């Protein structure tokens, strides 16, 4: 396997993936440079979530190759572990641990897999809770928080692992409308720090503001890939035009 | 406590209606009655020791059998199924007899009554524990595994810190049931001579010829024991739940 050229954090080459009869990804290729912010959108079932779940090995791809930070992702435990420690993920359903406090949720990863001491982890976690603006919630349980607060805890939990790349899988889709902006705000600030980010989202205002590259997927393929200005103002394909029209109409 | 006092009252009330009762055998106010009563109550020691030792072992074995049942490897899953099906289909009494009389000549091991009882009870219960753990672990949302994966936890840490703490809270009522069941099933170990509650009662009946009174005491002994244990399990459930409550 040739070394990944410097500057590319993620290289996806011709990957395919099927769930039984259903082809979720068909021959998808995507490169993401260091510090680049990519927003992936498309109708439901288009494969966008599957694509980013392949990047940290939550789903296995069948053909093609994925290289993350120079490490080839295969089904060996070692490469999976190396990639996981570099890639954080924020889920649509938050997936916080309900039996642990906010602080314990955030420190569990660093303490167990990065061998950080309890005190160091606590200090670090409080720092990230400040960044997502909820340090006062540290000793509460997830279910005592609002959806927006829970998602911000989930972001802090990912950040505390100090990943190079952060994946967002529809982070605002499960939120009440008035809580979406507080999560987007945190994500915008994060984008400004130069973190490599791939976001699956339909928040087009957010996309316009932070994205370096827009990716539009349909039926398991990347149909359109362009910088946001071109993407929103003059997309090449009709499929993308219809989609944008529908989504921006509301 | 209310149930117990009603039952006690009923027993005493009914005993007044019949000429056949002879409570003197267990009357604490005369000397031989007091000795007999102490003899019966001393059976608690082995009933408790036997049941709690067995349940500890069966929970551990049950978990070890449940985990392969959740594996992606079909051979590990098959091992789980075969273990559960075989162990579950042998009656406890048969298992007790087999472990005590069959195992030593077969393996050359010396096994005393206590450990034969523990092995049989734990073995029998472990199949049920395995099924309880499997159901509990399967009830945990897939997202919990994915989140653990995304913060780089390995399989052991995921189970230990994320999945099992949640699964155990959910299966606690079922585990409590198994404990009550175990306390009752321990009476079967009396057939190989274990000096627990039932065996003591049997021995006293043989010398005193008063089965009615002695077995009534035996019923009350189990009743008291199980009411106390159930209350303990409920208290534990409440305590663990309050951790999560809003």
């Amino acid at each position: 396997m040739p070394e990944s050229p410097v500057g590319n954090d993620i290289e996806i080459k011709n990957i395919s993936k099927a769930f039984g009869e259903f082809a979720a990804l068909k021959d998808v290729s995507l490169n993401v440079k260091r510090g680049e912010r990519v927003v992936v959108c498309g109708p439901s079932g288009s494969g966008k979530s599957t694509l980013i779940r392949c990047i940290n090995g939550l789903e296995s791809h069948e053909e093609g190759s994925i290289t993350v930070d120079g490490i080839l992702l295969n089904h060996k435990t070692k490469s999976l572990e190396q990639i996981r420690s570099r890639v954080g993920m924020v889920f649509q359903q938050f997936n916080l641990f309900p039996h642990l406090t906010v602080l314990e949720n955030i420190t569990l990863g660093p303490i167990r897999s990065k061998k950080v001491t309890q005190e160091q982890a606590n200090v670090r976690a409080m720092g990230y809770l400040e960044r997502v603006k909820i340090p006062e919630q540290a000793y509460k349980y997830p279910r005592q928080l609002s959806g927006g607060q829970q998602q911000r805890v989930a972001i802090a939990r990912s950040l505390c692992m100090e990943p190079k790349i952060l994946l967002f899988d529809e982070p605002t889709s499960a939120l009440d409308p008035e809580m979406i902006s507080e999560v987007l705000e945190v994500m915008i600030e994060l984008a400004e720090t130069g973190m490599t980010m791939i976001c699956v989202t339909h928040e087009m205002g957010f996309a316009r503001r932070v994205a370096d590259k827009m990716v539009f997927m349909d039926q398991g393929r990347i149909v359109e890939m362009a910088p946001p200005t071109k993407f929103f103002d003059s997309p090449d394909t009709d499929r993308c035009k219809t989609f944008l029209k529908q989504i921006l109409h509301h | 406590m209310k149930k117990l006092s009603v039952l006690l009252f009923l027993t005493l009330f009914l005993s007044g209606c019949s000429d056949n009762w002879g409570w003197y055998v267990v009357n604490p106010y005369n000397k031989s009655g007091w000795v007999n009563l102490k003899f019966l109550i001393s059976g608690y020691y082995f009933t408790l020791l036997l049941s709690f030792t067995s349940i500890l072992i069966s929970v551990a074995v049950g978990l070890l059998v449940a985990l392969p049942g959740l594996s992606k490897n079909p051979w590990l899953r098959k091992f789980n199924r075969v273990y559960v099906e075989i162990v579950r289909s042998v009656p406890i009494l048969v298992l007790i007899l087999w472990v005590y009389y069959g195992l030593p000549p077969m393996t050359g091991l010396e096994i005393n009554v206590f450990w034969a009882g523990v092995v049989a009870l734990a073995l029998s219960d472990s199949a049920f524990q395995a099924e309880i753990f499997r159901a509990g672990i399967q009830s945990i949302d897939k997202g919990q595994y994915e989140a653990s994966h995304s913060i780089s936890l390995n399989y052991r840490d995921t189970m230990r810190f994320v999945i099992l703490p949640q699964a155990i809270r959910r299966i606690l009522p079922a585990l409590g049931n198994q404990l009550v069941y175990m306390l009752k099933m321990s009476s079967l170990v009396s057939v190989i001579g274990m000096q627990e509650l039932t065996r003591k009662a049997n021995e006293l009946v043989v010398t005193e010829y008063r089965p009615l009174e002695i077995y009534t005491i035996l019923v009350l002994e189990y009743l008291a024991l199980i009411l106390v244990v159930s209350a303990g399990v409920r208290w534990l459930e409440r305590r663990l739940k309050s951790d999560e409550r809003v």
Side-chain angles (χ1 to χ4, degrees):
Chain A
M1 188 62 209
E3 270 294 298
S4 133
V6 183
N8 265 354
D9 255 359
I10 302 172
E11 283 184 13
I12 300 172
K13 277 189 195 145
N14 312 99
I15 64 164
S16 296
K17 158 104 193 154
F19 294 107
E21 293 285 291
F22 177 71
L25 293 175
K26 297 173 205 157
D27 197 25
V28 172
S29 297
L30 176 70
N31 284 342
V32 181
K33 291 198 202 70
R34 182 147 303 160
E36 197 172 24
R37 276 94 58 176
V38 178
V39 169
V40 184
C41 61
S44 66
S46 60
K48 39 193 201 317
S49 285
T50 312
L51 175 65
I52 70 165
R53 287 161 62 86
C54 281
I55 296 171
N56 70 346
L58 280 182
E59 305 281 358
S60 55
H61 54 285
E62 283 142 13
E63 283 162 48
S65 70
I66 298 179
T67 313
V68 178
D69 198 26
I71 302 156
L72 179 69
L73 172 64
N74 50 33
H75 301 303
K76 293 198 184 93
T77 327
K78 195 162 181 229
S79 84
L80 204 59
E81 268 172 21
Q82 286 177 326
I83 286 175
R84 269 194 244 162
S85 66
R86 288 166 168 78
V87 182
M89 189 169 203
V90 175
F91 301 87
Q92 182 177 352
Q93 300 295 343
F94 329 136
N95 294 344
L96 294 177
F97 307 130
H99 60 297
L100 300 179
T101 63
V102 165
L103 196 64
E104 288 165 341
N105 262 277
I106 300 174
T107 54
L108 180 61
I111 291 171
R112 297 310 303 179
S113 55
K114 299 227 153 159
K115 310 294 170 217
V116 175
T117 66
Q118 179 86 55
E119 291 77 37
Q120 286 171 317
N122 283 348
V123 171
R124 212 202 265 185
M126 286 311 292
Y128 287 112
L129 277 175
E130 304 266 358
R131 257 175 79 176
V132 299
K133 303 180 191 77
I134 37 172
E136 72 283 358
Q137 312 288 0
Y139 298 99
K140 288 193 183 163
Y141 285 93
R143 68 178 63 172
Q144 294 169 278
L145 307 184
S146 72
Q149 291 171 326
Q150 289 192 43
Q151 192 59 297
R152 286 187 278 159
V153 172
I155 293 173
R157 178 173 70 178
S158 294
L159 288 175
C160 206
M161 293 296 289
E162 305 191 326
K164 293 188 164 172
I165 301 154
L166 212 45
L167 308 173
F168 291 86
D169 189 2
E170 306 205 28
T172 56
S173 301
L175 295 175
D176 290 336
E178 72 265 32
M179 290 168 185
I180 291 177
S181 64
E182 63 185 56
V183 171
L184 290 180
E185 223 168 86
V186 167
M187 288 169 64
I188 290 168
E189 280 174 28
L190 209 59
E192 283 161 0
T193 65
M195 168 86 73
T196 309
M197 288 165 66
I198 303 184
C199 313
V200 172
T201 181
H202 293 146
E203 294 297 330
M204 289 303 143
F206 166 78
R208 223 186 250 275
R209 191 157 163 198
V210 308
D212 298 309
K213 192 185 329 189
M214 293 295 301
V215 172
F216 175 72
M217 291 185 73
D218 188 33
Q219 296 182 356
R221 292 181 198 280
I222 293 183
V223 178
E224 181 122 11
M225 182 151 41
T229 40
K230 167 144 195 328
F231 182 84
F232 288 110
D233 301 337
S234 55
D236 289 328
T237 58
D238 288 339
R239 185 66 192 89
C240 189
K241 275 178 204 157
T242 338
F243 177 77
L244 284 174
K245 215 165 149 191
Q246 277 168 343
I247 200 171
L248 294 173
H249 208 262
H250 297 291
Chain B
M1 229 33 233
K2 215 182 247 172
K3 270 190 245 167
L4 188 64
S5 48
V6 167
L7 211 108
L8 263 174
F9 174 77
L10 264 179
T11 314
L12 292 174
F13 175 75
L14 287 173
S15 70
C17 301
S18 167
D19 297 336
N20 297 329
W21 293 91
W23 281 115
Y24 67 87
V25 275
V26 288
N27 186 350
Y29 294 109
N30 66 53
K31 197 161 170 265
S32 70
W34 177 233
V35 170
N36 286 345
L37 200 58
K38 274 204 303 200
F39 178 74
L40 288 175
I41 288 173
S42 67
Y44 269 129
Y45 176 72
F46 274 118
T47 289
L48 288 170
L49 195 63
L50 194 66
S51 304
F52 281 95
T53 314
S54 305
I55 199 106
L56 281 180
I57 295 173
S58 81
V59 164
V61 174
L63 180 59
L64 289 179
V65 174
L67 291 176
L70 297 158
S71 158
K72 282 188 189 131
N73 182 329
W75 287 103
L76 288 177
R77 282 206 308 274
K78 216 159 269 172
F79 159 77
N80 167 281
R81 288 326 304 163
V82 168
Y83 182 93
V84 169
E85 292 303 334
I86 290 179
V87 173
R88 211 163 45 170
S89 58
V90 183
I92 298 187
L93 185 56
V94 175
L95 204 56
I96 291 168
L97 293 171
W98 185 79
V99 169
Y100 187 58
Y101 294 108
L103 211 52
M106 222 174 73
T107 58
L109 287 172
E110 291 259 339
I111 191 161
N112 67 25
V113 177
F114 177 78
W115 286 106
V118 166
V119 167
L121 289 177
L123 196 63
S124 158
D125 195 52
S126 65
F128 294 93
Q129 298 286 2
E131 288 295 272
I132 292 171
F133 269 110
R134 195 166 64 96
I137 293 170
Q138 273 174 336
S139 78
I140 303 298
D141 183 59
K142 195 166 85 22
Q144 295 289 307
Y145 292 92
E146 294 182 349
S148 311
H149 176 108
S150 81
I151 56 167
S152 260
L153 295 185
N154 59 26
Y155 175 77
R156 242 190 75 178
D157 285 346
T158 302
M159 279 296 158
R160 184 171 154 205
F161 295 103
V162 179
I163 306 300
L164 286 178
Q166 296 182 63
I168 285 170
R169 280 182 176 89
R170 287 191 194 176
I171 63 178
L172 209 63
L175 292 183
N177 272 344
Q178 283 310 111
L179 177 59
V180 167
Y181 186 69
M182 182 71 95
L183 286 165
K184 294 198 279 186
M185 288 308 129
S186 70
S187 64
L188 291 174
V189 186
S190 64
V191 297
I192 55 171
M194 184 79 247
Q195 293 286 321
E196 43 66 74
L197 288 173
T198 307
R199 176 72 179 198
K200 297 249 176 183
N202 272 335
E203 286 182 358
L204 199 61
V205 166
V206 171
T207 52
E208 294 283 351
Y209 304 107
R210 276 280 165 200
L212 194 56
E213 296 75 13
I214 292 165
Y215 287 138
T216 304
I217 293 289
L218 183 61
V219 167
L220 292 175
E221 280 177 321
Y222 277 110
L223 186 74
L225 173 62
I226 280 157
L227 287 177
V228 168
V229 168
S230 305
V233 171
R234 273 200 304 279
W235 172 81
L236 195 65
E237 274 173 43
R238 269 201 309 278
R239 237 194 74 152
L240 283 176
K241 275 227 181 76
S242 66
D243 277 4
E244 295 183 42
R245 201 172 294 151
V246 178

